[in-house]
Amino acid sequence: MFGCPLPVAEAHRLYAFTPIGVLPIQYLLGIKGRARQHGLIVMPEKKLVARRLNVNGIVQGVGFRPFVCRLAACHRIAGDVANTSSGVSIHIEGAYESIEAFCLDISKDPPPLANIIEVSIHPEPVQGCTDFSIVKSRSGINSSTLISPDVSICKDCLFELFDPENRRYQYPFINCTNCGPRYTIIEKIPYDRPYTSMKSFVMCKRCQAEYDDVMDRRFHAQPNACHKCGPEVRLYDASGSKMDVEDPVKMSAMLLKQGKIVAIKGLGGFHLAVDAENSDAVRTLRKRKQREEKPFAVMSFDLERIRGYARVESVDEAFLTSPQRPIVILRKKESNSLAAQVAPQNSCFGVMLPYTPLHYLLLNNGFTALVMTSGNLSDEPICINNEEAFDRLSGVADYFLIHNREIYLRSDDSIVTSLAGTPSFIRRSRGYVPAPLFLKQSTPRILACGAELKNTVCFAVKGRAFLSQHIGDLENLETFEFFKMTIEHMKGVLDLNPEIIAHDLHPDYMSTRFALEQDGMTRVGVQHHHAHIVSCMAENRLDGPVIGLAFDGTGFGNDGKIWGGEILICEYSKFVRAGHISYVPMPGSAAAIKEPWRMALSYLYDAFGRDFYNLDLPFLKGLDRNRVKIVIDMIDKGVNSPATSSLGRLFDGIAAIVGIRNKVGFEGQAAMELEMLIKGPEQLRRSAKTYDYEWIYRDIHTIPPEPIVRGVVKDVEHSVDPVEISLKFHLTIIRLFSELCDTIRKEQGLCRVVLSGGVFQNSILLSGLKQELIEKKFKVFTHSMVPPNDGGISLGQAVVAAAIAA
């Protein structure tokens, strides 16, 4: 029997729960007896009522049922609680006042990881329950339960991990109801141990006792285990042979200190780790992983160590220490001990704190930081199972620190940064998925397939949008298989069969082809930049129309050309293109993304014609004249040179003209380095100079890049500091688009501006443009919970499809 007895009033008005039913207290104890002495749950006569509560939200695997048990005990209520396919179902019986108080309190102070979205309350017949119990989960159809994301180890478990007196001392898989794996170990719902990758581990008596004890922190913690009965770590060499070592974690730390590369199986997949202070080790990892310059993420034991090499603001600290533990982009300290190869030519580090017990045990060996980069070759999905890791990473890792708990679904680390003073996602994945975003409007059952780069998929139903974890660039078969596997897994976990499938307009995207091959669903094509703006509108719960500025690198336009510098008048179901950067050729198509010198030539040819050959530019002098001639011939003949209005490509071209770089190791690198010449928004605000700019109106506003390019060339020829050129270029783009928005406001009567697209990961541009628009009395809306890059496209596709369906 759970709970505290009620004070006894007059016996003839009291009843008690007993093993044989609800009986009068007078019958049990006599007129003047006290029920308190017998620990009975009692209630006033004629006020015995029952209710059924159906609770929806993130309420499974987060200690919600134990919380309900304790709450029932406090209110002297009997009944039961069970997981269902739609959340949690609670039957309660008790005094009317107690039932009312319980119903009010259930939403007030839930467990830390719970997120109650909806509670429905229905009257039920009194069944004569004698206690309060947790009963077996009930299966059902039309699931709408919300699964908790994976979360980092909690403070209680971390204390036990390093407590020599605790039976789980140094156990790499310690967890409780408030922490540990969730989404990555779930095979299907409801979230119970038999449906997780822990099903093969039978709990020992002590773990089982904790699991069964409603007052224990590990009550119904599905991954509960210990040294005796749970998963274990093992160390293997590069040939796949198990090493006979007493402590695999200690030995791994020793190998890392020797400069070795260790593949480490974590929560959502493998990491490749090296000592971040060892330049040779980092250089070797870059060579083997085929990742020339893209920054590596690092992990440190605590904030004190992070502050030794990076600047940590209060908002950064909040994200670093949050249960989600994302990678946070931090400014480097000018003098730091990390190898220069960790983040070459970059003013920032991507940093995270440990989020698994294994991470803590490994880092507690005197490391300032470990490089913890995704366990894959460049452009491939991360490895999640041991055999896959041995096969794919044997040419990269020297050793493998693995474990025998399966990962059902890979999930990369999330990445967060501060843009214009607002926390923003670059990648929304581990720690946040599959928590939904709540839409203003209801939606039918929709699957949105996303774009090609930084792909995510999105399922929408009943006003909830479930964005998947980061899938990656759909440019190879391995990632496409992961894309399909993610869709099937989410369909199972959400118990959702879509009736509408949304996709990008680009006919050659793998995601588009997949959508067009699906039968039994209504297909909806959504323009790329419309989806960008709508994703931000949905996140901010806006109704249209709005002015949308969609700035990115590539998006297939309605006219078959490549868009990316767009001003749109957007509603959920439709849009009008109000303005754009004038088209220029993109010689070599995708090759121009990896080689910005191609775009530089295109902009120079557009601005100067063949006279560009006579320009006194160091950039031109460094190019092979034959390659220049080939590119100009491609432009003249229209060979593999699609027209683009992309602002991302304009940034690339300007970066090459300035002399920053002609070739990039990852998309947007040249533009990023152009931005990083500026120390911060304060430096921009002190600058007042711009290049000449204009727009031309003939049914639509077009922005010729020619005057901007001419101004940049003039400054380069006069040896103006590249920092000054970057400042003038950024301020030119800011002034140009803020003034053009003002013009469109006069034409359309719109005063809300929505900013979206990958170019808005440029904090100088975002903060400057946002400030200019606010000063012009616009209301400005940006992303906070959805990536502004193509990682948020699938949300926009889903919302557009829902609006069209409505």
Side-chain angles (χ1 to χ4, degrees), residues 433-693:
V433 172
L437 296 164
F438 296 92
L439 307 176
K440 189 173 182 179
Q441 68 276 27
S442 185
T443 54
R445 301 188 309 275
I446 297 171
L447 164 60
C449 296
E452 181 175 61
L453 301 180
K454 303 171 184 65
N455 180 271
T456 63
V457 298
C458 179
F459 283 84
V461 63
K462 297 179 181 178
R464 298 169 187 170
F466 299 86
L467 275 168
S468 76
Q469 74 278 29
H470 169 78
I471 293 173
D473 297 345
L474 294 180
E475 296 180 325
N476 56 60
L477 181 60
E478 293 83 2
T479 308
F480 184 55
E481 290 299 320
F482 176 32
F483 164 85
K484 293 189 291 184
M485 183 180 73
T486 298
I487 290 173
E488 290 304 311
H489 187 270
M490 291 186 73
K491 283 169 65 176
V493 169
L494 299 173
D495 194 13
L496 194 158
N497 287 309
E499 54 189 309
I500 297 172
I501 189 165
H503 58 85
D504 195 274
L505 294 181
H506 199 301
D508 295 329
Y509 283 177
M510 287 184 176
S511 55
T512 301
R513 291 178 178 177
F514 171 85
L516 296 178
E517 291 169 358
Q518 305 309 302
D519 295 323
M521 288 181 273
T522 302
R523 303 182 187 95
V524 178
V526 181
Q527 200 281 321
H528 190 92
H529 301 94
H530 185 203
H532 264 308
I533 299 303
V534 167
S535 70
C536 191
M537 290 172 64
E539 183 182 345
N540 288 281
R541 301 175 70 83
L542 301 177
D543 290 322
V546 301
I547 301 172
L549 301 186
F551 297 163
D552 64 2
T554 301
F556 194 80
N558 287 355
D559 57 2
K561 297 177 181 178
I562 297 174
W563 294 6
E566 311 304 313
I567 305 177
L568 309 178
I569 307 301
C570 279
E571 299 180 55
Y572 286 128
S573 62
K574 60 185 179 181
F575 76 94
V576 174
R577 195 183 193 195
H580 63 88
I581 296 173
S582 298
Y583 291 120
V584 298
M586 189 173 165
S589 191
I593 299 172
K594 297 178 180 179
E595 299 178 351
W597 65 269
R598 293 172 180 264
M599 288 309 306
L601 287 180
S602 185
Y603 286 114
L604 291 174
Y605 193 34
D606 175 73
F608 295 94
R610 292 191 174 272
D611 288 343
F612 85 87
Y613 283 107
N614 301 321
L615 297 174
D616 184 19
L617 295 176
F619 153 72
L620 283 176
K621 294 175 181 177
L623 293 179
D624 181 276
R625 302 295 279 188
N626 289 328
R627 298 192 74 186
V628 171
K629 183 180 184 304
I630 291 171
V631 166
I632 299 303
D633 285 346
M634 290 172 66
I635 292 173
D636 284 339
K637 297 174 183 178
V639 177
N640 195 25
S641 299
T644 181
S645 62
S646 167
L647 182 58
R649 300 288 79 83
L650 179 58
F651 266 87
D652 285 350
I654 296 300
I657 292 170
V658 172
I660 292 174
R661 62 171 54 242
N662 290 341
K663 184 179 179 181
V664 299
F666 56 93
E667 188 191 12
Q669 183 182 12
M672 185 184 300
E673 291 177 5
L674 180 67
E675 173 198 356
M676 287 181 179
L677 292 174
I678 304 171
K679 298 303 181 185
E682 300 79 13
Q683 189 177 6
L684 183 72
R685 283 193 286 270
R686 292 194 297 268
S687 176
K689 297 179 181 178
T690 67
Y691 295 113
D692 292 337
Y693 57 86

Side-chain angles (χ1 to χ4, degrees), residues 143-156:
S143 165
S144 57
T145 189
L146 305 182
I147 304 300
S148 169
D150 305 284
V151 290
S152 70
I153 182 173
C154 67
K155 291 181 179 179
D156 291 329

Side-chain angles (χ1 to χ4, degrees), residues 16-18 21-22 78-80 91-93 126-132:
F17 289 114
T18 77
V22 181
D80 61 58
H91 173 80
I92 51 174
E93 299 183 358
V126 174
Q127 300 173 7
C129 298
T130 60
D131 60 12
F132 199 94

Side-chain angles (χ1 to χ4, degrees), residues 216-481:
D216 195 280
R217 198 175 86 249
R218 293 186 170 88
F219 178 69
H220 280 219
Q222 305 306 335
N224 189 33
C226 68
H227 289 285
K228 185 176 180 180
C229 64
E232 59 183 27
V233 292
R234 303 160 186 167
L235 185 62
Y236 287 74
D237 63 21
S239 69
S241 300
K242 184 181 177 182
M243 299 177 65
D244 185 16
V245 295
E246 182 177 348
D247 189 335
V249 178
K250 284 282 187 185
M251 178 57 73
S252 297
M254 186 182 302
L255 292 167
L256 287 164
K257 287 181 178 293
Q258 294 172 5
K260 303 299 183 182
I261 300 171
V262 181
I264 302 168
K265 188 176 183 180
L267 198 60
F270 275 80
H271 283 111
L272 290 166
V274 295
D275 183 350
E277 293 182 310
N278 188 323
S279 296
D280 290 338
V282 178
R283 193 178 296 110
T284 300
L285 177 58
R286 284 203 175 278
K287 182 178 179 181
R288 293 185 188 175
K289 187 175 161 65
Q290 301 168 29
R291 183 165 167 168
E292 295 178 7
E293 295 179 293
K294 192 174 183 179
F296 285 142
V298 298
M299 179 184 286
S300 289
F301 186 85
D302 55 22
L303 286 170
E304 181 181 355
R305 288 171 174 84
I306 293 174
R307 289 192 174 101
Y309 58 82
R311 304 184 186 280
V312 182
E313 305 296 337
S314 58
V315 65
D316 303 323
E317 182 174 338
F319 271 104
L320 285 166
T321 58
S322 69
Q324 293 81 14
R325 296 290 168 90
I327 296 170
V328 182
I329 306 301
L330 304 176
R331 300 285 294 188
K332 290 179 180 178
K333 286 192 170 178
E334 290 186 10
S335 176
N336 67 78
S337 63
L338 301 196
Q341 294 82 3
V342 168
Q345 306 299 316
N346 199 301
S347 61
C348 298
F349 288 124
V351 185
M352 57 183 157
L353 285 170
Y355 52 88
T356 71
L358 180 58
H359 293 151
Y360 271 105
L361 292 172
L362 194 61
L363 282 156
N364 191 36
N365 284 279
F367 295 104
T368 297
L370 289 176
V371 166
M372 295 289 272
T373 189
S374 54
N376 59 354
L377 295 178
S378 291
D379 301 325
E380 293 181 358
I382 57 173
C383 296
I384 58 172
N385 68 61
N386 299 334
E387 293 305 317
E388 177 190 25
F390 289 141
D391 180 50
R392 289 171 50 195
L393 302 179
S394 59
V396 182
D398 299 307
Y399 296 92
F400 293 79
L401 183 63
I402 68 172
H403 59 73
N404 56 342
R405 185 180 69 201
E406 287 188 69
I407 300 171
Y408 281 150
L409 197 67
R410 55 177 54 87
S411 190
D412 286 88
D413 297 314
S414 296
I415 306 176
V416 175
T417 189
S418 181
L419 295 175
T422 302
S424 181
F425 282 95
I426 293 177
R427 179 198 294 164
R428 184 179 182 269
S429 197
R430 177 196 50 77
Y432 298 94
V433 172
L437 296 164
F438 296 92
L439 307 176
K440 189 173 182 179
Q441 68 276 27
S442 185
T443 54
R445 301 188 309 275
I446 297 171
L447 164 60
C449 296
E452 181 175 61
L453 301 180
K454 303 171 184 65
N455 180 271
T456 63
V457 298
C458 179
F459 283 84
V461 63
K462 297 179 181 178
R464 298 169 187 170
F466 299 86
L467 275 168
S468 76
Q469 74 278 29
H470 169 78
I471 293 173
D473 297 345
L474 294 180
E475 296 180 325
N476 56 60
L477 181 60
E478 293 83 2
T479 308
F480 184 55
E481 290 299 320

Side-chain angles (χ1 to χ4, degrees), residues 147-219:
I147 304 300
S148 169
D150 305 284
V151 290
S152 70
I153 182 173
C154 67
K155 291 181 179 179
D156 291 329
C157 286
L158 187 58
F159 178 81
E160 293 171 350
L161 181 68
F162 290 110
D163 179 8
E165 302 301 316
N166 191 278
R167 74 185 187 93
R168 290 187 176 86
Y169 175 58
Q170 295 190 345
Y171 181 53
F173 305 96
I174 188 172
N175 69 88
C176 71
T177 305
N178 298 322
C179 68
R182 296 288 191 279
Y183 182 58
T184 54
I185 65 168
I186 295 173
E187 183 178 20
K188 60 181 179 179
I189 54 170
Y191 176 62
D192 287 327
R193 195 173 178 110
Y195 305 132
T196 73
S197 60
M198 290 298 295
K199 62 187 174 185
S200 59
F201 299 97
V202 179
M203 284 181 280
C204 65
K205 288 184 179 180
R206 296 181 70 179
C207 286
Q208 187 69 53
E210 294 169 334
Y211 184 90
D212 293 334
D213 183 358
V214 71
M215 302 308 292
D216 195 280
R217 198 175 86 249
R218 293 186 170 88
F219 178 69

Side-chain angles (χ1 to χ4, degrees), residues 681-753:
E682 300 79 13
Q683 189 177 6
L684 183 72
R685 283 193 286 270
R686 292 194 297 268
S687 176
K689 297 179 181 178
T690 67
Y691 295 113
D692 292 337
Y693 57 86
E694 63 178 346
W695 61 82
I696 301 165
Y697 182 72
R698 297 190 187 95
D699 299 325
I700 188 171
H701 299 280
T702 56
I703 305 161
E706 175 188 346
I708 301 173
V709 172
R710 283 183 171 273
V712 170
V713 167
K714 182 178 179 181
D715 278 352
V716 172
E717 288 185 319
H718 287 81
S719 301
V720 174
D721 189 334
V723 174
E724 179 64 22
I725 296 174
S726 180
L727 282 166
K728 288 174 68 175
F729 176 68
H730 277 83
L731 194 57
T732 300
I733 300 299
I734 289 165
R735 294 272 170 83
L736 191 165
F737 281 99
S738 64
E739 291 174 12
L740 188 45
C741 282
D742 203 18
T743 297
I744 292 172
R745 173 168 56 186
K746 294 171 184 176
E747 296 169 353
Q748 303 284 342
L750 303 176
C751 62
R752 294 178 300 169
V753 180

